[in-house]
Amino acid sequence: MELLKKNTAKREPEQRTVRINTGEHDKSYAGNYTSTTKYNLWTFLPKALFEQYRRVANIYFTLVAALSLTPFSPVRAWTTWTPLVIVLGVAMIKEAIEDYKRYKLDKEINNRAVQVLDPEKGEYITRTWKDVRVGDILVVKKDEQFPADLLFLTSETEEGTCYNETMNLDGETNLKIKKAPDETKDLGEQDFVQFREAVIQCEGPNPRLYQFTGNLLLDGKTLPISPNAILLRGCNLRNTEKVVGAVIYAGHETKIFKNAAPAPSKRSHVERIVDKIIFFMFFLLFSFCIVGSIFFAVWTKDHMENHWYLSPATGKSQYDPDNPGFVGFASFITSFILYGYLIPISLYVSMELVKIAQSMGYINNDRDMYHAETDTPALARTSNLNEELGMVNTILSDKTGTLTRNVMEFFKCSIAGVSYGAGITEIEKANALRKGITLDDRDKPEAAKHRERYFNFYDERLMGDAWFTAKDPEIIEMFFRLLAVCHTVIPDGPTEPHTIKYEAESPDEAALVVAAKAFGFFFYKRTNTTVSVREHTARGDHDVEYEVLNVLEFTSTRKRMSVVIRDKSQDKIIIFTKGADTVIYERLDPKYGPNEAMKESTGRHMEEFGAAGLRTLCLSYAEVDREWYGNVWLPEYVAAKTSLVDRDEKVAEVSEKIERNLRLLGCTAIEDKLQEGVPQCIKQLAMAGIRIWVLTGDKMETAINIGFACSLLREDMMQFTITVYGVEEVEQAEARGDKEEAERLAHAAVARSLETTEKTMDDNPTATFAIVIDGKALSYALSKELAPLFLRVGTRCKAVVCCRVSPLQKAQVTRLVRSKGDTTLAIGDGANDVGMIQSAHIGVGISGQEGMQAVMSSDFAIAQFRFLVPLLLVHGRYCYKRITRMVLFFFYKNMLFGVTIFVFNAFNNFSGQFLYNDFYMTLFNVVFTALTPVVIGIFDRDVDKAMALRYPGLYMQGQRNEYFNFRAIALWLLSSLYQTCIIMVFILVGCRSTVSDRGDGNPYTMWQTGLLMFSCVVLTVHFQVIQITDQWTWAHHVSIWLSMAVWWLYLLAYGAFPLFLSSDLYYLFIGVSAPSAQYWFYLLLVPTACQLPDFFLRMAKKQLAPFDHTIVQEIQKKMDREGRQEVEELGQEPSQEPSILTSIFTGKATKNRGYVPPYDPRSRHVSECNQRKKPGFDGPPCTRADTVPAIERIETLIGVQVGDHAFYGLVSSGARQAGRIETGVRSPVLTHLDNELTDNPYRNRKKSNLPGIVPIPMYVPTVSQERTNPSLSSTSPQHQQQHLGAPTAVAVVYDANGQASSRAVALNGGDKMPSGSPVPSLAPAPGAIASPVSTDTLSPPENAGQQEREILATYELALKH
Amino acid sequence: MASPTPSGEGTTKKTKEPRNTRITQQTLPACKPVLEPVWIVFIFLAIGVVLVPIGSVCLYYGLKPVEVGTRYDQTCLPNNLNTNAQRQEYIWKHAANDSKLTCEIKLTITKDMPAPIFVYYELNGYYQNHRRYVKSRSDMQLAGKSKDLATSLCDPLEFLGGNKSLPINPCGLVAWSFFNDTYTMMIKSNATSPSKLLPVSDKNIAFDSDVKYRFAKYNPQNFNPEINSLRGGFNLSYASGGATPKENQRFMNWMRLSALPRFRKLWGRIDTDLKAGNVVPISITNRYNTYAFDGQKSIVLGTTTWLGSRNPFLGVAYLVTGGLSFVLALVYLILRLARPRKFGDPAALSFSRAGASG
């Protein structure tokens, strides 16, 4: 959205006037001929070349090539031109092919046929698309595409509607309904022949897809045209036989073309560092050139004439001693070409190749990221950012559709202060399970009857006709009516309850309409002005038609939508409003009695629903005074609707006036289930050191509970809640109506709480933190003064949850986090995430869902949130490592090579002579060392995929940029320098030209030395590859051995070429070098001497301060050696269960996940215990408790027999309430147990088959309590909470025979006792840190620590017996 | 699209499921050499064990050859010439008169020198590797492929005196500056005994490939037809035995450029043994002008082994590298003892250390 705004900032014609069907065309408006090609036959060469030269490297290489044509060149010109032409040629051929494809497609599109009304002939004739002009009237038939942006005039349907599919535009597959203006909708196809006087006045062409401001001047009237009457090019007509429309924008002025801006290209960190290294290389190059040219000029001036053999008659000015300036200049050019080998020409080509292989070959083809249900593999939409995936510090995630499935089901509701709906959400289940409570949710048969898509609700008090006799049936009836009326859903298909289909813009709306249907308010027909509902009430079944007067649409700022209707039977005007609770509550009628009564209970229910992870909507209605409506409001509204400037703001303003004095009806709760595998995924990401920020539009409670459910928030985290709701001073100020004061106070409150938060963090350096912040507080936190503080605090947190944020805030937060230098990854699925996705370093879109906008603007698309794990931990890590290693290797080898050239020049007075033949200088980069870097980039693998997932902490190497920081780069380059020295010294001293390498006496000659030196360079470079290769696949073998072989094969082959081709090389290798023993001795010696110190340093580093991946390699090796047995994983999260992915990779059957295999746990523990005896391990010595280790303890809890004890039971703190925010640090023991229990689905499914399990009636349905005790609805939340939180400490001990036994095993090993549950945070900064519910619901009950102690004491006691 | 198969079943629904190949799933079988400390020490030791013996052999053979030589550019002229400028003046003046340029020096053989003994001249401060020099030649012309044609490669010496009708063959700076000192050797079994002629062969002194392929048999044209005032001395045939490039192996060796400004070139071979105590008087015709650029000229007699001439560098380098490898093995062992580390110990992972508190 942001992007679109920027585009429009460009000057656009203010207005346009379209005269329909006059036959005259305004020439200033574009025709409908379109071309998407970049080039034509004549412009191809210059333009395509220009494109290529946008890369600085290409300019450089062209410059070098051009200079090589001058007489100053040390090399033959073709040796620089050939690689350049190849590199450019390949890229340009690719461009040409792509452009030709576009040309063919354009041609096909331009020649498509369409029916156009010819005003002269007065009949419809067939024309091609390209001949369509603005003002023409067209007929488009079913399933055809609209050739231009049209004003919808009429369709064959009675209401003047049509459906269109906007797939090409925004990727959404659901059909959108469009509506012709009432004044034209009844005209027939032929009536338009006479349709001459109509004029459209509208805004100029612009890229805003969903907005249109314009009026239709018809018969002297000015009619507003809503965006709903515009048919856009690119869309298809569906379900409608034909429509007639008038062209408003054609060709390149259509919105789809205006939108075709290329996505902003992102560059990775690594690439930017590469640029820096290239700059360094340029610096080196220039200093070489300057040193060389100055020296040469001085030498030429002072000495050249003495060296008579060089200059008979001098002649050529580039060696003219009398003109040292020019000599220096010429020498500079010579050196520039000569030392150009410092800059790797093939780096960019190779990098591109490798990245394409990584994305197309690996990422797009990874079966671990393939979602079978939607048949969606992962898609790398750009290959620029592969390595960036390995450096992510912060993930910013949307919630709906990203963490959740975006499958909406009507789940609960609260009407007139009474909560209905018996379901238990997955989040409640997950939360309860964390406490060791199993919530039974087996489908009741009568409930199943009512289940359908979008509807998962059962409550006998409402179903059937039960609600007729319930309390407040009028309110319930109104509630249902609102559900049936207040929406923009379009029914489709036969009007029977079971066959009808609803086309809704959002799944939430569909869920509400389906719910209304289930409750007996069957919405079956919508016309332009009416909504028809078959109402089943106590009075019987009636088909009621409501006249829809106005629809006040939903926007993200309004957070509500309203429908104004006239109830014909009672002749009343009613407004139905549904929206976010805050928005509705603000607009309730304070004088209306029932409001007050319902406000609190409804609010509490919403809180509960939110806590259960449900999406809530508040429903309300009001009667509108007819006089006021007709005389005052409607004219204002129409004026606003037809205004050409700021239409949206004005409409919102006017809408405000009617949406007031509302009467509360209740609220609905819709469930959006968590996606599969999200908690495990988040856990792994957290272990990989990635901070996760969830940015959601949800309420705070919902967000927090989802945070818990998906393991984002954990109980051992210290949480801070920052909000401005419930700050007394602010509320007071607001109540006074002093908005500025309120803002100032709120700002101060946020500042205070942030400061307190930071201080608390400083005081607890070892704790992990989480922050929950709501949108309003966020807006202050993002202010200029507070942003740095917020960022500081936020980046110290493992998790940050931002609730109720707007799309704009999402992007702002992203930019804020980015500004710190963190690598950010934004993931989302909807249009509201586009800003965030584009702002982040890496944008990931969730594909396979309905909306595609996020995907369209993303860099990577995956089908499920959980695929982030392989995307980051596997592909990101590999790509980062591979690319950086490849780049370093490139610079290493080119530096090595380039510096040898420079050093040799020092021995010939920098005259620009080189020791190598120009053939092999040219081939060095493109042949002899071309394959190995590519293989490194594609096949290098330090640890296996499974290990990368098993040790997510390995990912932190990328975050720290361990392979590509200054140190690493400097070390590589230094090592390159060192090796150059070795080569130069060994060859130039050992093989100096006064000694002979053979029996027949001839001393070393120049090309012979060069051949030897080049052989050493090639070998050394490959030895380096051998040294850094962690795993040898066939590709490694092929590349390394083949590259080396090619060098000697080349020597053999080339030496045999005729003299005029091979010149210096003629017969050199076979005739001169190969027969010499010294040649081979040096080949063995020099690379060894070069690599020996490198090897030693690597090994010493490995010994003293090993890299993490080194250790994991060792672990892997150990596992391989021990027959793939598991080694103990100290330092991992206790007994980490293999994730689904890990189990796939390691080949373990997933169905056994969580099942503890039947082996003797003691053996494992004893080894662990023995370890402690070793020196260097400073843990406590083995104790009695160690023989019953922690692992075993867990196993006992899940029903595995241990020794002669059998021990079943459940542990729960009992103090924790499902879905409540908790603060403070929990005992690690209980957390650990909780995790174990939560993560063990086996326990729940199979429990009935295990002996001795005590069924625990833990779940007391809320509903039943409320029914039996209606007065409860007014009790405080805290009260209710305690009511729900039945004591859950169960410690029944059974022996093997299933008899209750007094013997039990210890729970207490080395673990500490909970120390009175310290709650270090929450020194209540006035109002701010403490969340709105902090005092009563957020903190654990006072006796929490007490209960934990009791439980543990029970176990201790049991053990002693 | 595709019509259903007759059976009605097995209509292959097109799926986007990625294929399960080892390459795309990144599960190529791989050899994973993880070096354990034992192996590391072993590698260091192995390198040492391989390099040191080779080094010993190389050093032995590198020290075995005998070399005798002396610098003569200063001594071979009348003693009253004190500066190089005067010396240059002198040789220019007497360029046509060899007898004025001839001197005799004596080399005393210190150790037995078995045949073949190679005769080298050594130049110092002479930049055969200067770019202008290196480029100024035509291999094709030398090989007789385009002998009549002037070749631009030889710039600045394509034509005699710049006259386009007189193309030089062999052309170019390299050929033109051909070394033209000559040596005549005698032998005396000791300092007092009478001397007799020591035959020095100019055959078998060039690379086989040069003799066979790179130099053709033709008579040079316009090649140093007169005494060159810069270089001193005469033309190709005058300086050596062979009148054509193919027959003149000294010329071939000259045309094989040297990489460094101090170089030797093979001038001839002596096919009789020399004994320790023998004295070799050499009569030198000192024509070549090294005085202009303060260069040095020497004459050297040397023997070779299969490993080449006297040069201990290779052996020493092998021994040093091999020795270093042993030392590194030791240092590594010490490091290992000082800072022991368990192989594959998960507790050593940085993230587990950091995460231990959390």
Side-chain angles (χ1 to χ4, degrees), chain A residues 120-424:
Chain A
E120 261 113 71
K121 292 187 192 154
E123 61 186 50
Y124 288 91
I125 53 170
T126 306
R127 283 203 194 140
T128 54
W129 278 29
K130 62 175 182 252
D131 296 328
V132 169
R133 306 294 310 232
V134 171
D136 282 348
I137 289 180
L138 321 175
V139 177
V140 179
K141 303 216 173 66
K142 188 174 178 181
D143 293 335
E144 283 178 354
Q145 275 192 10
F146 302 116
D149 289 355
L150 308 176
L151 169 66
F152 184 16
L153 292 172
T154 187
S155 73
E156 94 285 350
T157 64
E158 193 183 321
E159 302 86 22
T161 54
C162 74
Y163 294 94
N164 67 47
E165 190 189 69
T166 56
M167 179 80 164
N168 294 336
L169 229 49
D170 57 13
E172 295 183 20
T173 50
N174 58 336
L175 300 182
K176 308 255 160 55
I177 194 155
K178 295 281 179 177
K179 212 159 62 181
D182 291 344
E183 288 71 14
T184 59
K185 74 176 164 67
D186 298 324
L187 297 175
E189 195 180 319
Q190 291 305 321
D191 298 336
F192 288 99
V193 176
Q194 305 306 323
F195 193 77
R196 294 279 167 102
E197 276 72 49
V199 172
I200 303 168
Q201 278 179 339
C202 62
E203 55 191 353
N206 66 60
R208 295 182 288 266
L209 287 180
Y210 305 108
Q211 286 171 24
F212 179 80
T213 319
N215 292 324
L216 178 64
L217 308 180
L218 185 67
D219 304 336
K221 281 188 289 183
T222 304
L223 310 167
I225 304 171
S226 84
N228 224 0
I230 303 298
L231 306 173
L232 299 178
R233 179 174 174 144
C235 299
N236 289 63
L237 184 65
R238 299 274 186 237
N239 291 5
T240 314
E241 283 312 318
K242 58 169 84 161
V243 298
V244 180
V247 179
I248 305 178
Y249 308 116
H252 287 274
E253 290 175 345
T254 54
K255 296 202 180 234
I256 189 171
F257 274 92
K258 284 277 170 187
N259 254 302
S265 71
K266 299 178 179 173
R267 301 191 69 216
S268 68
H269 275 108
V270 168
E271 253 178 86
R272 265 173 269 152
I273 301 176
V274 168
D275 283 354
K276 281 187 197 152
I277 306 180
I278 288 206
F279 274 117
F280 170 74
M281 289 302 197
F282 268 120
F283 167 77
L284 207 64
L285 171 67
F286 277 105
S287 34
F288 282 5
C289 289
I290 286 168
V291 167
S293 55
I294 290 178
F295 188 97
F296 185 65
V298 170
W299 188 85
T300 304
K301 180 168 170 280
D302 294 348
H303 299 290
M304 173 107 161
E305 269 175 321
N306 298 333
H307 289 263
W308 52 268
Y309 52 94
L310 292 177
S311 56
T314 309
K316 280 229 175 156
S317 53
Q318 60 167 314
Y319 300 107
D320 186 356
D322 299 330
N323 194 356
F326 186 75
V327 171
F329 168 75
S331 166
F332 190 89
I333 292 177
T334 307
S335 321
F336 194 69
I337 300 170
L338 194 63
Y339 306 137
Y341 293 99
L342 283 172
I343 319 283
I345 186 171
S346 48
L347 173 64
Y348 288 98
V349 183
S350 308
M351 229 157 106
E352 209 149 285
L353 195 79
V354 162
K355 285 183 172 186
I356 287 172
Q358 286 174 345
S359 49
M360 312 257 284
Y362 293 151
I363 296 179
N364 293 358
N365 276 322
D366 192 345
R367 290 166 68 85
D368 300 324
M369 294 198 290
Y370 169 73
H371 193 232
E373 282 164 45
T374 54
D375 192 28
T376 317
L379 174 70
R381 289 169 41 86
T382 167
S383 56
N384 285 346
L385 297 171
N386 293 349
E387 68 274 13
E388 195 86 339
L389 286 175
M391 302 174 71
V392 173
N393 300 85
T394 309
I395 291 177
L396 298 117
S397 172
D398 173 40
K399 196 214 80 187
T400 311
T402 304
L403 295 177
T404 61
R405 294 179 196 184
N406 209 8
V407 175
M408 305 295 175
E409 287 183 337
F410 188 91
F411 203 72
K412 286 187 182 191
C413 62
S414 158
I415 310 173
V418 182
S419 170
Y420 299 96
I424 304 156

Side-chain angles (χ1 to χ4, degrees), chain A residues 396 695 810-818 824 836 839-840:
Chain A
L396 298 117
L695 310 174
K810 285 186 180 184
Q812 281 174 337
V813 170
T814 310
R815 275 193 286 268
L816 180 72
V817 178
R818 209 192 140 123
T824 53
M836 174 169 91
S839 303

Side-chain angles (χ1 to χ4, degrees), chain A residues 362 882 934-941 1033-1036, chain B residues 23 28:
Chain A
Y362 293 151
R882 287 167 177 166
V934 171
V935 166
I936 290 176
I938 298 178
F939 292 100
D940 197 39
R941 202 167 61 184
T1033 64
W1034 58 261
H1036 288 87
Chain B
I23 288 188
L28 281 180

